Structures are given as C-alpha cells and as structure tokens.
C-alpha cells in the first residue's frame, strides 16, 4: 500500500483483533497526520491493546511518516506479545519518537529486521530513538541498524525506564547519530550482548 493512505493513526492498517498476521506486504509513502496530535501515530500500522499477539513478518516499510510516534509502526500501551520478524525499514520518520517502531506494548519481539535511515526529530525527552523507542520491555535480536538519527537520545534505539528486562542481542550498528548514544540509549535495566 503506498501514497494514498493518509490517516490520523495507523494510516494504512489499525489492528484491533488478536492474533492478526501481516505477511509479505510493502507499506510505502504513508502518513499518520491529522488535527489531534495525540493520535498521529503509526505511519503504516497502529496495533491497539486489543490486538494482542499480532505478527508482522517478511514486510517492507519505506518512507512512512508519523507526525507523532512510530513512523512505520506504533504499538499501543498494554498491547502484549507483538512480534515483528524479518522486516525491512527504510527512511521512515517520526516527528516525535521512533522513525521505525514506537513500542508502548509489553513483551514485544523484534527479530532479524533491518533498519536504515530512520529518524526521530524530537528533542523533547523521553520521546526519542531513531529506529526504535520502547516504553516497556522489548527483545531486539539479530537486527541491523544503519544511518539512523535521533535528535536527543539513542541514534537507533532508546529504551525508557519502564523497560526493565529488555534485551538487545546480536545486532549491528553503523553510522547512527544522536547527541547522546549514537547507537543505543537506555534508562532501564537492559542486557546488551553479541
């Protein structure tokens, strides 16, 4: 889906039901915008807290924008067990946090994904993280990050203080930029390892 989608949130897709699977899709040039800034989230996909156990896999997100959080994907507060697998994120932008994925859910898994050129434009803490901003615990594994930018914290990843127990494992970072933490910034108890 490309160019024609323009919505206040989840401009292409809002996930309300549990156990939804998105497979082998491309989301390009979509915008989450509108008159209420609180809802300008998820340039391509917005996962609601009723959308537990969502799986997004083998998909591409290219040049999507959110005028608030989650240039490509926004996962709402108290949404459990979202999995994002084998996806590619290229040149996605959020005016506030996370050009790629803004995660307010719990037990979120991001595995074997590639992020390139993600941007977070906000200098308002804690809403930062070039590719990923996570409020609660998240496992990020086997993923690559290149040329990401965050104006404030975490050129590629920022994990907020409620994210204790988060994991970043076997990930590579190249060319990220931020005033604090060119690759990763965290305020939570986070394990980072190869």
């Amino acid at each position: 889906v490309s160019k024609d989608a323009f919505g206040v949130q989840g401009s292409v897709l809002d996930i309300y039901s549990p156990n939804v699977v998105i497979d082998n899709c491309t989301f390009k040039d979509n915008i989450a915008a509108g008159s209420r800034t609180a809802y300008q989230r998820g340039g391509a996909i917005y996962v609601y807290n009723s959308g537990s156990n969502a799986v997004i896999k083998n998909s591409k997100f290219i040049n999507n924008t959110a005028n608030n959080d989650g240039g490509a994907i926004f996962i709402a507060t108290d949404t459990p067990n979202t999995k994002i697998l084998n996806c590619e994120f290229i040149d996605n932008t959020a005016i506030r946090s996370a050009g790629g994925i803004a995660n307010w859910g719990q037990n979120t898994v991001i595995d074997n994904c590639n992020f390139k050129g993600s941007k977070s434009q906000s200098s308002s803490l804690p809403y930062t993280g070039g590719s990923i901003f996570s409020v609660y615990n998240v496992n990020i594994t086997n993923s690559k990050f290149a040329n990401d930018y965050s104006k404030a914290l975490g050129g590629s990843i920022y994990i907020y203080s409620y994210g204790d127990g988060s994991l970043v494992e076997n990930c590579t970072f190249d060319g990220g930029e931020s005033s604090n933490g060119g690759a990763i910034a965290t305020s939570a108890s986070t394990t980072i390892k190869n």
Side-chain angles (χ1 to χ4, degrees), residues 179-190:
S179 58
N180 291 283
I184 303 170
T186 180
S187 303
S189 175
T190 301

Side-chain angles (χ1 to χ4, degrees), residues 108-144:
T108 298
V109 171
I110 300 167
D111 182 62
N112 198 33
C113 292
N114 291 332
F115 298 84
K116 184 175 181 181
S118 301
K119 295 180 182 67
S120 165
Q121 306 286 10
S122 176
S123 58
S124 176
L125 299 177
Y127 303 105
T128 60
S131 280
I132 299 170
F133 170 65
S134 189
V135 175
Y136 295 103
N137 60 309
V138 60
N139 284 0
I140 305 166
T141 54
N142 307 309
S143 295
K144 297 178 180 178

